Amino acid sequence: MEKTYSVVIHPSDNGIDSIKIMKDYLKSKIGWFNSCNSVAHITICEFKIDESQLDPIKKKLSKVSDTFTSFQVFLDHFDSYQNSGAFFIGVTEDSKNNLVPIMKKIHETLKFLKLKKSDDPHLSIGRRLTPENLKIASQLFTTIDMEFLLDKIVLREFDPVVKQFFIIDTIPFGNNPQPEFTQGSLF
C-alpha cells in the first residue's frame, strides 16, 4: 500500500515543547490553522512509496547519515512566506550554510523518488495563514533565540486518519565524513 513519508530534522525536546506553546498561543488568538498540531520540525523532503520499498530507503538514509557530522543549529528570527501564508522561525546564515548541504545530499540520495523538496531550512509555526493571521502572528512573536544539536534525521509516516506524521525511525549521524574523491595524476 502506498503511504506518504517525510524526512525531517527535529529540534531538541525543549525546543519542541517551546514551539508547541507558541502554536497553542497562536491558536488561542486566531483559532485552528494548518500545522497547529504538528510536532516542530525542519522539513527536508516528502515522498510517496509502497511501504514494501521502505527498508531500502532506510538503508540509504543510514548510509548517507553516517557521513554527516553533528553541529549546533541556531534559530534567531521570525519570518513568513507571504505567498503560501507560512509563518516560521528562521535559522542563522551560518546554520543555513551547514544545513543546506545536508538537505541537498539527502535529496540526491533519494533522487530516484518523486520528492517534494525543501531547500530553505525553516521551522514552521503556521501554514496557509490568511494575511490578517500572518500579521497577528508577527505581532505576537517578535524575538527568538533558540538552538539545538543536530545529530540525527527523522523518518516519519503520515497517518491519514489523524492527519499527522508520526516518527517511524530516527537515524543518527555517524560523524564519519567521507573524503571527496579527487582525480589525481600519475605523472
Side-chain angles (χ1 to χ4, degrees), residues 7 45 47 49 53-68 102-113 115 153 155 169-174 178:
V7 181
C45 62
F47 53 90
I49 57 167
Q53 298 173 287
L54 193 56
D55 277 343
I57 303 283
K58 285 182 182 182
K59 285 184 176 92
K60 286 182 181 296
L61 289 171
S62 289
K63 187 173 181 184
V64 75
S65 288
D66 188 57
T67 69
F68 297 149
I102 286 174
M103 295 167 82
K104 286 186 185 295
K105 206 152 197 182
I106 291 170
H107 297 158
E108 182 67 22
T109 298
L110 302 177
K111 68 182 176 193
F112 59 94
L113 297 172
L115 296 179
I153 56 174
L155 180 62
D169 207 352
T170 300
I171 304 165
F173 288 4
Q178 301 295 315

Side-chain angles (χ1 to χ4, degrees), residues 18-29:
S18 297
I19 289 159
K20 173 151 181 36
I21 290 167
M22 283 183 222
K23 288 182 178 209
D24 288 348
Y25 185 56
L26 181 59
K27 189 175 171 185
S28 77
K29 298 296 183 188

Side-chain angles (χ1 to χ4, degrees), residues 66-114:
D66 188 57
T67 69
F68 297 149
T69 301
S70 305
F71 62 92
Q72 287 294 123
V73 174
F74 298 92
L75 301 112
D76 69 347
H77 65 281
F78 290 101
D79 204 346
S80 63
Y81 298 126
Q82 298 292 326
N83 59 342
S84 66
F87 183 74
F88 62 88
I89 304 171
V91 299
T92 63
E93 202 60 35
D94 282 347
S95 290
K96 184 175 183 172
N97 291 338
N98 289 326
L99 285 164
V100 168
I102 286 174
M103 295 167 82
K104 286 186 185 295
K105 206 152 197 182
I106 291 170
H107 297 158
E108 182 67 22
T109 298
L110 302 177
K111 68 182 176 193
F112 59 94
L113 297 172
K114 187 176 177 186

Side-chain angles (χ1 to χ4, degrees), residues 145-163:
D145 182 16
M146 187 181 239
E147 67 180 88
F148 65 91
L149 178 67
L150 174 57
D151 60 357
K152 63 187 167 297
I153 56 174
V154 177
L155 180 62
R156 308 180 311 165
E157 181 182 311
F158 187 71
D159 181 333
V161 176
V162 187
K163 299 200 182 316

